[in-house]
Structure formats: structure tokens, C-alpha cells
Amino acid sequence: MLYYFVKPLTRWMFLIFFRKIYMKGIKEMRPKRRTILAVNHPTAFLDPAMIGSFSKPTQNFLLRGDVFSSPVTRWLLRQIHTIPIFRFRDGFSSLKNNQSTFEYCYDLLKQKEYLLVLAEGQTKFEKRLRPIQKGTARMAFGAYEKYQLDDIEVLPVGVNYTDAAKSRSVMMVEVGTAIPLSNYMEAYQENPRKAIKQMTDEISRQLKNLVVHVQADEDAQFADQVLDIHRNDLVGWSNWPVLEHSNVLLRAEVQLAKQINQLPEERKAPLREKCSDYFHILKNKQLRDDTLMRPKIYNWLNSLILLLTAIPALIGYAVHYPAVWLSRNIADGKVKRKEFYTSIRYGVMLFGTLFYYLLFLLPIGLLLIGKASLLVLPLLLLMGYGSIHWRELYDRWSAARRYVHLSKEERENLQSMRQLIIDEIKQLKAAGKVSV
């Protein structure tokens, strides 16, 4: 029951927490299928929560067993369809509990339920696909062994973020092609280990085409800069609608990352230096790359919009500041691993806002203005959301104002630097046949 209460709330928070969500294939998922989702895992729990929020079928999530630390926690996690899976680091005694987990998962598949597996086996905050573990394939074949379920399919899902460490970044999700278990049954009868490896290799092959993968650590920042410039250079790129069922941007970024990985060092080093110099100047001048693409955002109309909406935005920000402050302080003070930072902020903002409204704003509203508060509170929510967009418009407007007040020589120098990088990106796109 709790799962179906939380699901629309988490979906609502995703549409606020992220500036833009590109999604391809999730709405095509159909209930009552024996499906194992094999998902990459760049953040703590945003990845499975997003799929559970936006997919029509009910999802069952495998979650690291050490989180189930108390009776209350175990009860709550069970209510949202999570299943404990233990690792070697949890100790041999805990590993013995996995057999009951496997049996439960086999039963779910028999009942035509979806099972979500984080196929890398660990969370790592980087634009890179980690080695895919064999557990997903073993789960599929285990269910076959117990119930002769030869219609099981594995569905790879790639989850990507422009910057997983920040709220209001961009999320890109794409579902791959179903991998039927039946394709491997002949090989499994001959050699189970070989069949498991073949299926795991196919999962890995598909995920490599669904995940923005930067091979070398030293290229991480450089690749982010190239992808940022390319993203801002797209004609017609917009934050609206927030949710867009498209894989166009992800396809382009996956291919660009592949081209960066393959780029010879003699070409990569000059481009890396150009990007570094360009972004260093932007930082010193308090500018943004998209400012150079859209300097006209500094105009009288946007100035008037900012002025007229300043008071509602300020009210919306002030009303919701306690939840924002709480999420930031808990994440800053308690989170040790960066993979968990954004997830904790998301979770605290979601439930902090919910309880803040139910336990504080609603009682006060009913006490002061009675039933009219039922109309005022949604208006406050809208003003809070509007305050986010007001701040983002103000930031872009301010950067554009600083840019147009630069000397003509400084503006031309920045545009020239950017164009040199764009020319290199166009060559990469042509080599990789990247299109948008």
C-alpha cells in the first residue's frame, strides 16, 4: 500500500528536482511480464526510484542487505517493494540469507512481476559503465530451474545524468532491447556457465550503448566540458516540457563519449587545453557557456518578468526554505560518499516537504483561514516551484548582463575560443555519425 502512495510523490519530486528528464522506452513497459530490469547504478537510489516512479508495472528492487538494519526499517523497505541482497563484505553469515532472497525473486517472476537489479553490483559516481556482474543472468536461469519459466526476459536500462552531484541537472534514461532467456536455453543445456556468460555479455553490450561512458579518469572533466558545449549548442533545446519521451540527446552524448575515448592523444591534448582555457575564463568572468549562445536573454522583457514576479518568488522560496535548508544540511553533514549526496537531498526534500505541509502548514492554515487553506497551500506549492525557475532565469539573465558589458574584444575572444571547440566537436560528430 505504501508503494502506491509514495509512487506519485516521487514522480512529482523528480519533475521538480531535475531541470529536464529525457526518457525513452519506460512508458512502453507492460504489466504482467516476467521481466528482470538490468540497470546501471551511478547514484545511491535515484536510479531505481526513477524507474519505479515512471513505469506502469510495479517494480521490485534488490537493495543491499545492510540497509535492513532494524525491524522498523525492514518493514518500511518491504512496503516499497525492496528485497535485501547481501554482499561478501556483509559477512558469510549474511550471505546465507541470499538463498531466501533468490527464492522470493523466483516466486515474483513466476507471478509475472518485474524485478529490478542494479547490474554493476555497486554504485559509482562517474560517467562510466562498471563491469556487469553475472547475478542478473543467474537470477533468470535460477527461476527457470525452479519453475521452468522459459519466457523470462532481461531488459537493459541505462540511466544518465549531466551532473549527478547537483539538483536541477538533466537526466537521460533509455530502455534497451529485451533479451529473451529462450535465446540461451540450448547453450545452457550444454554448459550453464557459458550461457550465463553469454547473457551477461549481451547485457553489457547493450548497456554500453545506453550509458555515457568516459573510459579514462583524466578525461572526465574534459568530456563533461565537451558535452556541455554540445548540449548548449543544440538548436531548440529547452527545459519545456520537463519530461520528454526522447532519446535524441542521449544518443548524441553516448556517441560523442565514444569518439572522445577513441581520440588519439595528439588530438585530444590540444582540445582538452582549449576547453580548460575557455572554461577557466568563463569561471573568472562569472559567465556560463550557454550565455554565449543566448546573450539576448538580457532584455527588457525578461527584466520586467523578473521584477514583476520577484515577490511571489520570494514568498515561494521563504515558505519552502526549511525543507531546502534541512536537505542541504543533512546531506552536507552526514553524507560521506558523493554517490549518496544527491539521493539524500532528494529524499529529505521529498519527505521533508510532505511532513512540513501536513504537520505544520496545513494545521496553521486551517487554524487561521479555515478551509480556504486547501486552496492556498497548492498556490504556495506553485509559488515554490516558480521560485526555482525565477532563480534560474535570474542566473541566466545576470550572466548575460555581465557578458554584454564585456568589451567587444573580450566577447570576440570568447566566441572565437568557443567556435574552435565547436569545430572540433563537429569533426567528432562526423566521425561518429552523431546527429540530433
Side-chain angles (χ1 to χ4, degrees), residues 16 94 127 189 215 243 262 271 363 374:
I16 295 174
S94 296
K127 283 188 172 71
Q189 300 303 331
Q215 186 66 43
L243 175 61
Q262 298 168 8
L271 180 55
L374 299 177

Side-chain angles (χ1 to χ4, degrees), residues 9-50:
L9 294 177
T10 56
R11 181 167 57 239
W12 164 74
M13 182 55 75
F14 270 111
L15 295 174
I16 295 174
F17 197 78
F18 286 92
R19 182 159 48 91
K20 182 87 174 182
I21 299 175
Y22 290 96
M23 195 174 291
K24 182 69 173 179
I26 285 187
K27 71 175 182 178
E28 282 77 31
M29 289 182 186
R30 295 291 178 260
K32 293 302 177 182
R33 299 177 68 91
R34 295 188 175 102
T35 303
I36 302 175
L37 300 185
V39 186
N40 65 309
H41 195 26
T43 70
F45 60 78
L46 287 183
D47 321 319
M50 183 284 307

Side-chain angles (χ1 to χ4, degrees), residues 103-300:
E103 296 294 331
Y104 181 67
C105 291
Y106 302 156
D107 291 342
L108 287 173
L109 290 170
K110 182 185 179 184
Q111 298 162 21
K112 294 189 176 181
E113 294 280 348
Y114 274 66
L115 183 65
L116 189 151
V117 177
L118 299 166
E120 295 165 300
Q122 61 175 317
T123 179
K124 190 69 175 177
F125 177 64
E126 57 188 3
K127 283 188 172 71
R128 182 181 302 168
L129 182 68
R130 311 294 295 183
I132 301 304
Q133 305 301 304
K134 295 178 182 178
T136 306
R138 284 179 178 147
M139 186 75 70
F141 283 109
Y144 169 77
E145 286 288 352
K146 183 173 182 180
Y147 292 118
Q148 302 299 298
L149 307 174
D150 58 1
D151 59 343
I152 293 172
E153 62 182 16
V154 175
L155 200 56
V157 183
V159 181
N160 303 265
Y161 308 87
T162 55
D163 190 344
K166 295 180 180 178
S167 59
R168 302 296 294 167
S169 62
V170 176
M171 175 187 278
M172 297 169 286
V173 183
E174 184 173 359
V175 179
T177 303
I179 305 170
L181 183 70
S182 57
N183 288 359
Y184 301 89
M185 289 312 305
E186 185 176 343
Y188 185 75
Q189 300 303 331
E190 294 177 4
N191 187 330
R193 289 186 179 180
K194 182 178 179 181
I196 288 171
K197 183 180 184 304
Q198 287 176 348
M199 176 175 270
T200 302
D201 289 344
E202 176 60 17
I203 296 169
S204 180
R205 185 193 69 78
Q206 284 208 39
L207 281 175
K208 284 179 180 176
N209 288 317
L210 301 172
V211 173
V212 178
H213 179 85
V214 179
Q215 186 66 43
D217 289 338
E218 59 269 22
D219 288 339
Q221 183 180 31
F222 158 60
D224 270 338
Q225 292 169 343
V226 169
L227 292 171
D228 191 36
I229 292 174
H230 172 257
R231 200 177 303 120
N232 292 329
D233 206 48
L234 295 180
V235 176
W237 186 82
S238 170
N239 290 341
W240 301 101
V242 177
L243 175 61
E244 189 170 329
H245 292 282
S246 167
N247 65 346
V248 172
L249 181 61
L250 179 58
R251 290 292 91 230
E253 298 211 358
V254 167
Q255 292 302 321
L256 270 178
K258 287 182 179 179
Q259 292 306 115
I260 290 171
N261 295 334
Q262 298 168 8
L263 199 62
E265 186 59 31
E266 58 267 23
R267 282 191 61 194
K268 190 184 293 185
L271 180 55
R272 185 189 293 117
E273 185 176 355
K274 289 175 186 176
C275 287
S276 177
D277 292 344
Y278 171 68
F279 277 92
H280 179 72
I281 294 176
L282 290 182
K283 183 177 180 180
N284 285 342
K285 300 289 186 181
Q286 294 182 290
L287 301 176
R288 306 148 50 111
D289 175 66
D290 60 354
T291 303
L292 275 69
M293 290 299 299
R294 301 167 183 85
K296 292 183 179 179
I297 201 169
Y298 176 63
N299 57 40
W300 69 267

